Amino acid sequence: INGSNENKYLCSDKEATMDKINDLEQKPVGKLLAQYSIPATLSLIVSALYQMVDRIYIGHIPEVGVLGLTGVGLTAPVTTIVMALSALFAFGAASTISIRLGEGKKEDAERAAGNAVTYVLITSVVITAIYFLLRPQIFEVLKITGQSAPYASEYINTIIIGTVFSMFSFTFPIIIRSDGSPTFSMVITLVGCVLNIILDAVFIFGLGMGIRGAAVATVISQATSTALGLLYFWKGKPTLHLSRKTMRPSVHTLKSILKIGSVPCVNQLSVSVAQLIGNYALVQYGGEVYVGSMTAIRSVFQLFMMGVYGLGQGFQPIVGYNFAKKKFIRFDYRGTSSQPSVSQMQPVKNNSNIMSQTIGNPELNPSFSHRFRLFYSTFNDKRFSSFSAGLNFNATKDALVTNTIYD
């Protein structure tokens, strides 16, 4: 009797996990989009809010303030490169998983998830080693000099030590969403962000650790998100299972991941280059305070793009699965506009003086207000807003079609 009951429970669990995947071709697209995009958008919005709160905390560190923000801004190209490489494996593996599940090739989907874990681990170790071996040269390229140099060094050294957690905390939620669990994917991100906000206050002000405290809080929260991701595959009810077999590197799987993941990766790498060039110009023509003001502006700007990105991330597993099933009629790709996000930015534009005072040092006020208005005018351009809104959809579509054709 016990054996039959155990088999019954195992069967019901297996059926439940497969139902999550079958929903991708059976449920109406509108309901699926809400089911996947709302959690993705909420987690991204909270993540952006965390970035803002983090900058506010750093801006209010006694006798540091604007220099701390400048230090974080000068190191942004490095953290963006880490994010780009995370996106390479996360989005590449997620799209491959969706396609393979749509083709009914569960083992290949599990291999994509396992290989992503392996390559993320290897890449994080390589990044950490390269950074500490070439730190003086990297600082020279980033132009980390002057009064902000000690704060930049304190911050980025700690962040790089936690690269493995940074990459996994980015990768796991995206893979888990493709596994058919968008809600748990959101939980992983939310727990990390909320914990980060709490630990920021504790380490920066409670323990007096300053900007190093902000970095330590970030690493701990990312480690927590990583642990939740591992817990999902170990104790949860995943559709895909990680094992030594699936984590063994496969050249064919790597090609598939790189083919799709290169799109968001190159996108983020271009952002890193733009940040680097922007920092050069800001330091040369405005000084360190301008870098600090731009760091604050970016944290505000990100918040109003999360709706577009969340929609794109929620769309990815749906379109990948149905492309593989050849159910093209379920989708109609059309250009869209992010103008609602732009209109939401209007009150922030009108109150940019208040925002600069909220984020930190009054020294930021003139440069923050002027640069935010320029930034807003670029964002408000219809060509830019249409491009940014369509980017996730078109890149995902083209990458998935390419992958399906050439596999």
Side-chain angles (χ1 to χ4, degrees):
I1 295 174
N2 289 337
S4 63
N5 286 336
E6 186 175 341
N7 289 334
K8 180 176 71 175
Y9 291 136
L10 287 173
C11 289
S12 63
D13 285 347
K14 186 175 180 180
E15 289 172 2
T17 55
M18 289 310 298
D19 283 344
K20 295 187 300 183
I21 299 302
N22 292 334
D23 283 347
L24 291 172
E25 66 173 313
Q26 294 170 357
K27 271 190 178 182
V29 173
K31 288 184 178 180
L32 281 173
L33 198 56
Q35 180 183 340
Y36 278 78
S37 292
I38 290 174
T41 302
L42 285 175
S43 61
L44 286 171
I45 288 173
V46 172
S47 180
L49 284 171
Y50 145 69
Q51 293 287 344
M52 277 185 60
V53 173
D54 187 65
R55 304 306 182 254
I56 291 171
Y57 283 152
I58 292 173
H60 282 83
I61 298 175
E63 300 179 1
V64 176
V66 66
L67 291 177
L69 286 172
T70 300
V72 172
L74 289 173
T75 61
V78 174
T79 55
T80 304
I81 288 173
V82 173
M83 185 182 296
L85 293 173
S86 301
L88 174 67
F89 298 113
F91 289 113
S95 295
T96 302
I97 287 167
S98 300
I99 292 169
R100 297 297 174 254
L101 286 174
E103 293 172 341
K105 300 176 181 178
K106 186 181 176 183
E107 288 187 5
D108 289 346
E110 288 181 330
R111 190 172 293 108
N115 270 231
V117 171
T118 300
Y119 290 122
V120 164
L121 182 61
I122 293 171
T123 304
S124 63
V125 172
V126 171
I127 289 173
T128 305
I130 290 175
Y131 171 79
F132 284 106
L133 285 171
L134 302 176
R135 182 168 48 180
Q137 292 87 341
I138 292 172
F139 275 31
E140 185 177 345
V141 171
L142 296 175
K143 300 297 181 186
I144 298 178
T145 57
Q147 291 179 299
S148 63
Y151 305 111
S153 181
E154 281 185 21
Y155 183 80
I156 194 63
N157 287 350
T158 306
I159 291 294
I160 291 297
I161 289 172
T163 297
V164 62
F165 301 126
S166 174
M167 294 189 71
F168 274 121
S169 64
F170 184 96
T171 303
F172 274 139
I174 294 169
I175 290 178
I176 289 171
R177 190 182 303 119
S178 289
D179 189 63
S181 300
T183 303
F184 193 82
S185 171
M186 176 186 68
V187 168
I188 290 176
T189 304
L190 293 185
V191 168
C193 290
V194 172
L195 180 62
N196 206 330
I197 291 171
I198 295 170
L199 291 180
D200 264 347
V202 172
F203 289 135
I204 293 174
F205 302 112
L207 300 178
M209 294 177 64
I211 194 168
R212 181 182 281 114
V216 171
T218 297
V219 172
I220 292 175
S221 63
Q222 289 172 345
T224 303
S225 294
T226 300
L228 288 173
L230 290 171
L231 190 65
Y232 172 82
F233 285 106
W234 183 33
K235 291 290 187 179
K237 297 178 181 178
T239 304
L240 309 175
H241 295 86
L242 300 179
S243 64
R244 290 183 180 179
K245 179 182 177 181
T246 60
M247 292 175 67
R248 190 175 299 121
S250 163
V251 174
H252 177 72
T253 303
L254 179 61
K255 285 181 180 179
S256 179
I257 291 173
L258 295 181
K259 194 182 298 180
I260 301 175
S262 60
V263 176
C265 178
V266 171
N267 202 11
Q268 283 297 316
L269 288 176
S270 67
V271 172
S272 179
V273 173
Q275 289 172 337
L276 183 63
I277 295 172
N279 285 345
Y280 283 172
L282 289 168
V283 171
Q284 184 173 352
Y285 296 107
E288 292 184 328
V289 67
Y290 271 50
V291 178
S293 67
M294 194 62 192
T295 303
I297 289 169
R298 286 194 192 108
S299 67
V300 177
F301 174 75
Q302 285 178 354
L303 179 63
F304 298 95
M305 289 296 293
M306 292 303 107
V308 179
Y309 294 150
L311 201 61
Q313 287 192 18
F315 195 53
Q316 178 272 316
I318 305 169
V319 71
Y321 186 89
N322 283 275
F323 256 80
K325 286 286 186 182
K326 302 189 184 304
K327 295 197 172 184
F328 309 117
I329 199 169
R330 281 167 63 83
F331 301 96
D332 181 16
Y333 294 102
R334 288 182 183 149
T336 182
S337 172
S338 63
Q339 202 62 32
S341 295
V342 176
S343 64
Q344 291 167 9
M345 291 184 72
Q346 184 68 41
V348 181
K349 176 199 174 191
N350 294 337
N351 294 282
S352 55
N353 289 347
I354 298 173
M355 286 298 299
S356 66
Q357 292 166 5
T358 302
I359 286 179
N361 201 302
E363 292 178 55
L364 288 178
N365 192 20
S367 61
F368 183 99
S369 301
H370 175 64
R371 293 192 63 78
F372 189 89
R373 290 172 190 274
L374 289 175
F375 212 60
Y376 172 86
S377 64
T378 303
F379 185 78
N380 199 30
D381 187 286
K382 292 187 186 299
R383 290 169 296 175
F384 175 82
S385 61
S386 298
F387 166 76
S388 63
L391 186 61
N392 273 326
F393 294 101
N394 292 330
T396 302
K397 178 191 72 171
D398 294 342
L400 289 172
V401 171
T402 302
N403 190 67
T404 305
I405 292 173
Y406 290 104
D407 273 5

